[in-house]
Amino acid sequence: MMMDRPSVKIIYIMIIASLCCLMAACGGKDAGAVSDIKEKGGKERIVVGFSQLGAESDWRSANTESMKSVFSKENGYELIFDDAQQKQTNQITAIRSFIQQDVDYIVLAPVTETGWDTVLSEAKEAGIPVIIVDRQVDVSDESLFTCWVGSDFELEARKVCMWMSYFFNKKGIKSEDVHIVDIQGTIGSTAQIGRTKGFDDMANLYGWDVVAHEPGDFTKSKAKEAMFAILRNYDNVNVVFCENDNEALGVIEVLEASGKKCGSDITNGEIMVVSFDGVNKAAVSSLVAGKISCIGECNPLHGPRVESIIRKLARGQEPYKYQYVNEKIFAGTSAVPSIMLGGKEYKVTVFNEETLYEWPY
Ligand code: GZL
């Protein structure tokens, strides 16, 4: 029996309507999004648990911001963020919570190097990859973490000390006339261990008089206490090696309050201050003003680097176990255009008002 035209027409409409409903049932997302979600293990979002050690410095804040801006809902992630307030026990608790929530990846910025074996074994047992970022962990079995990305802190220190050596040579300052103190970062952190080792090795190599090491915990307040103690006990210090910018700002405050001038002319009584990070705006302004003579860059923008690792893992690829970030040397003067270290030339980036204006932090 031949169907009349209206019946055929109705069937066409029903077929097209069914196809539209089918498309809508696919979530209405374009093919790209669906394949992208498939790439992320077929879930609606990738869940990342991030244990951040604290908020002690501008570097740390920039590092947190970098992670949060990358692991956003818009980018297809759910970020579970925990600020441990400088306490390893809080980080261990956070990691256990991430395991309970069965996150897809754990990212850990460890406050110090030791004490991670047990909790990382629990994460491994749960089959959750752990990415270490910034500082490192000292564990008995390197299979307890998937990989690490961060800075070479010892190299940072060697570069800043080499800059000083070039500068002292250029100004005719003898090594025995350099009386230097080290305001250390959080004791036991990779950044402190590396920067202190680089400092000690280079000071020894060049015969500088190392007057003292004082813990400054990467904070302005602790560094002020340390500098006050140094001024009470020593009267010959003419160079202060600060293991981060926040410490350097505290040191400058104390030196200026005690009537001293911060600058590179140590032959005529100024006190040279050098530092690390290059994230704190006030510190970079002090570089331009000449109150800080040299800053070893320590780049905090690890968010994209960690995401690149996660995408590799999601594709079944194996990232490098250790990934070091390339970093520069910043100075307020062009006296030392570049340094040679380990057979490699490092050009010095000279900061001025224009650089300051464009500085991204
Ligand atoms: C270095 C980082 C250090 C910074 C400090 O990567 O661990 O900790 O240099 C921060 O500013 O507090």
Side-chain angles (χ1 to χ4, degrees):
M1 179 191 93
M2 287 292 287
M3 284 185 286
D4 60 37
R5 279 192 178 285
S7 310
V8 171
K9 200 172 177 182
I10 288 168
I11 288 170
Y12 271 138
I13 290 168
M14 284 170 67
I15 290 170
I16 289 164
S18 310
L19 283 172
C20 290
C21 291
L22 185 65
M23 280 298 287
C26 287
K29 296 180 174 19
D30 62 65
V34 172
S35 65
D36 197 35
I37 289 167
K38 284 272 172 292
E39 181 197 356
K40 290 173 186 154
K43 289 184 181 175
E44 188 59 28
R45 294 191 185 294
I46 282 192
V47 184
V48 176
F50 176 36
S51 169
Q52 178 58 290
L53 63 91
E56 76 287 355
S57 65
D58 296 80
W59 188 98
R60 191 64 51 198
S61 306
N63 179 249
T64 294
E65 180 48 38
S66 174
M67 292 289 289
K68 286 183 174 177
S69 62
V70 165
F71 294 103
S72 64
K73 284 193 175 358
E74 301 72 50
N75 291 340
Y77 295 95
E78 182 187 337
L79 180 69
I80 306 172
F81 175 78
D82 181 84
D83 173 344
Q85 296 168 1
Q86 304 283 321
K87 293 185 177 65
Q88 181 176 41
T89 49
N90 291 344
Q91 292 200 277
I92 290 170
T93 302
I95 292 170
R96 287 186 169 132
S97 166
F98 298 152
I99 294 169
Q100 283 304 316
Q101 297 176 72
D102 192 24
V103 299
D104 297 301
Y105 299 92
I106 291 172
V107 180
L108 169 64
V111 59
T112 48
E113 292 197 339
T114 54
W116 301 103
D117 289 67
T118 302
V119 75
L120 294 185
S121 300
E122 293 165 19
K124 183 178 180 182
E125 189 63 36
I128 302 174
V130 176
I131 298 164
I132 309 295
V133 64
D134 179 26
R135 303 172 186 178
Q136 297 188 13
V137 293
D138 178 7
V139 289
S140 56
D141 172 4
E142 286 204 342
S143 71
L144 292 179
F145 63 95
T146 302
C147 62
W148 167 86
V149 57
S151 302
D152 183 337
F153 304 111
E154 189 176 325
L155 176 61
E156 289 175 351
R158 289 176 181 279
K159 290 193 285 190
V160 168
C161 288
M162 188 59 90
W163 181 91
M164 286 196 282
S165 171
Y166 275 60
F167 184 85
F168 294 151
N169 283 340
K170 184 158 190 172
K171 301 295 180 184
I173 295 167
K174 295 192 187 71
S175 290
E176 58 266 29
D177 294 334
V178 175
H179 305 288
I180 188 167
V181 293
D182 173 14
I183 309 289
Q184 295 175 293
T186 304
I187 301 299
S189 69
T190 314
Q192 175 272 313
I193 293 167
R195 288 172 188 161
T196 297
K197 182 175 187 315
F199 167 83
D200 286 340
D201 290 354
M202 298 295 271
N204 183 46
L205 177 69
Y206 289 107
W208 300 336
D209 170 31
V210 178
V211 175
H213 294 80
E214 280 286 338
D217 209 17
F218 290 134
T219 66
K220 182 175 181 179
S221 55
K222 200 82 173 69
K224 288 176 76 171
E225 288 172 27
M227 196 66 227
F228 273 125
I230 288 165
L231 289 177
R232 274 198 303 276
N233 297 316
Y234 308 99
D235 61 4
N236 63 341
V237 172
N238 54 15
V239 184
V240 185
F241 179 92
C242 300
E243 293 192 5
N244 87 328
D245 288 344
N246 296 73
E247 292 183 351
L249 293 173
V251 160
I252 290 168
E253 255 185 46
V254 168
L255 288 172
E256 291 182 338
S258 59
K260 300 191 183 293
K261 188 172 184 293
C262 296
S264 59
D265 188 6
I266 66 174
T267 308
N268 293 302
E270 291 185 351
I271 312 288
M272 178 181 276
V273 176
V274 297
S275 178
F276 295 87
D277 290 347
V279 169
N280 178 299
K281 199 87 177 188
V284 176
S285 302
S286 298
L287 193 69
V288 174
K291 292 184 178 183
I292 296 179
S293 298
C294 180
I295 295 179
E297 181 191 15
C298 183
N299 188 292
L301 306 180
H302 291 322
R305 299 171 183 129
V306 174
E307 191 194 24
S308 165
I309 290 168
I310 285 177
R311 284 183 172 277
K312 277 196 176 74
L313 293 169
R315 285 195 293 267
Q317 296 170 344
E318 191 176 338
Y320 290 112
K321 191 76 177 179
Y322 290 91
Q323 298 174 61
Y324 286 94
V325 176
N326 293 322
E327 296 171 329
K328 298 185 178 122
I329 307 170
F330 303 142
T333 158
S334 55
V336 179
S338 68
I339 63 160
M340 284 301 291
L341 187 63
K344 188 176 170 186
E345 183 181 31
Y346 296 91
K347 294 219 179 304
V348 176
T349 304
V350 180
F351 271 61
N352 51 40
E353 289 301 338
E354 195 183 320
T355 336
L356 200 54
Y357 179 75
E358 290 157 0
W359 201 232
Y361 298 104

